[in-house]
Amino acid sequence: MGKVWLVGAGPGDPDLLTVKAVKAIQQADVILYDRLINKEILTYAKPDAELIFVGKLPKHHFLQQDMINSLLVKQAKQGKQVVRLKGGDPFIFGRGGEEAAFVVRHHIPFEVIPGITSGIAAPAYAGIPVTHRDYSASFAIVTGHRKEGAEEAEKWQALAKGIDTLAIYMGVSNLPYIQKQLIQYGKDPDTPVAFIHWGTTETQRTVTATLSTMTDTARLEEVKNPSMIVIGDVVRMRDELQWFEESSEERRLHETMV
């Protein structure tokens, strides 16, 4: 019997991969990897490791989740060491819990290796601390794929009034709804907002707005997926603390001059 590792590949910068994740990748016979991982991470794999792309685009899945689950079990039952390599952290909007439960039902040993999630890392690389003594004593990780309904209304009310900083995943296509719900349930329309595209990578781009202007700004600035949306007063710290995009631009200018 083989084994399955659910491995978090981190937010994009390959240097943020954990040591334990590297060790798992190095010993894997099979690696099932997602669209959002940095392909440099795959260079840690053995030369004879089988690399299987199972990535998902918005509204288009290369492989359906049920097929991925079955593939994990099939490979492990062949006695292989299987790494399921997922962007960010396996248990934060990565369906890692579903995959873990599936392999357990088939009596296959597994291990979870957490990864740095983009809800924390992307803001940090954009100069935005998700908590701050003066601005934020609470922080929530939220999916942008929310729909209308009585229970959802209660949740939006809690998010709008009870949480200082929101990190919203997969929300670019649902911006008008997110904006409407937060304002409707009491979030200050002047609350700062940041869109961080491809956070922690060399192509990172950050666009700022307010809650009242976020949808129009995203359209005008052509904000695309994958982008982390950060809503809260901590976004004000960016003017003082931004470091990564400036240093990246300096490196590009230096390389051009050389």
Side-chain angles (χ1 to χ4, degrees), residues 3-183:
K3 182 176 179 179
V4 171
W5 279 265
L6 303 176
V7 179
D13 184 344
D15 288 342
L16 295 179
L17 192 67
T18 67
V19 173
K20 192 166 187 177
V22 171
K23 291 179 179 178
I25 294 167
Q26 289 173 333
Q27 69 179 7
D29 300 310
V30 181
I31 299 174
L32 284 70
Y33 66 97
D34 279 349
R35 177 178 70 96
L36 295 181
I37 72 159
N38 191 314
K39 299 304 186 296
E40 289 184 36
I41 292 172
L42 296 176
T43 62
Y44 289 111
K46 297 186 297 186
D48 60 345
E50 183 179 3
L51 307 179
I52 304 174
F53 175 70
V54 293
K56 301 169 184 175
L57 291 166
K59 300 182 180 180
H60 176 75
H61 291 182
F62 187 76
L63 283 182
Q64 294 294 332
Q65 187 62 50
D66 289 346
M67 296 177 65
I68 295 172
N69 294 346
S70 297
L71 192 55
L72 290 172
V73 169
K74 177 182 177 181
Q75 297 287 347
K77 283 188 173 181
Q78 294 175 0
K80 296 177 181 179
Q81 307 303 301
V82 183
V83 161
R84 175 71 172 100
L85 192 59
K86 309 170 79 68
D89 180 271
F91 280 1
I92 298 181
F93 303 131
R95 297 198 172 182
E98 298 173 37
E99 292 169 354
F102 191 84
V103 299
V104 165
R105 288 197 295 271
H106 287 80
H107 310 291
I108 292 171
F110 80 100
E111 186 173 332
V112 180
I113 301 179
I116 299 174
T117 184
S118 57
I120 296 170
Y125 270 52
I128 302 168
V130 293
T131 65
H132 189 282
R133 187 166 58 175
D134 296 332
Y135 295 115
S136 176
S138 57
F139 165 59
I141 289 174
V142 183
T143 175
H145 291 169
R146 289 186 173 274
K147 303 299 180 183
E148 296 186 28
E151 291 185 1
E152 284 300 301
E154 294 178 3
K155 292 175 182 178
W156 280 115
Q157 186 173 11
L159 290 172
K161 299 296 289 185
I163 304 296
D164 295 324
T165 304
L166 302 176
I168 301 179
Y169 294 60
M170 304 168 290
V172 171
S173 62
N174 213 16
L175 284 177
Y177 175 71
I178 293 169
Q179 180 185 47
K180 176 183 176 182
Q181 296 305 305
L182 290 175
I183 292 176

Side-chain angles (χ1 to χ4, degrees), residues 121-129 196 204 206 234-245:
Y125 270 52
I128 302 168
I196 309 164
Q204 176 177 307
T206 303
V234 289
V235 174
R236 303 183 195 278
M237 299 295 295
R238 172 172 162 76
D239 289 340
E240 179 182 357
L241 300 182
Q242 60 178 301
W243 60 276
F244 179 68
E245 288 160 69

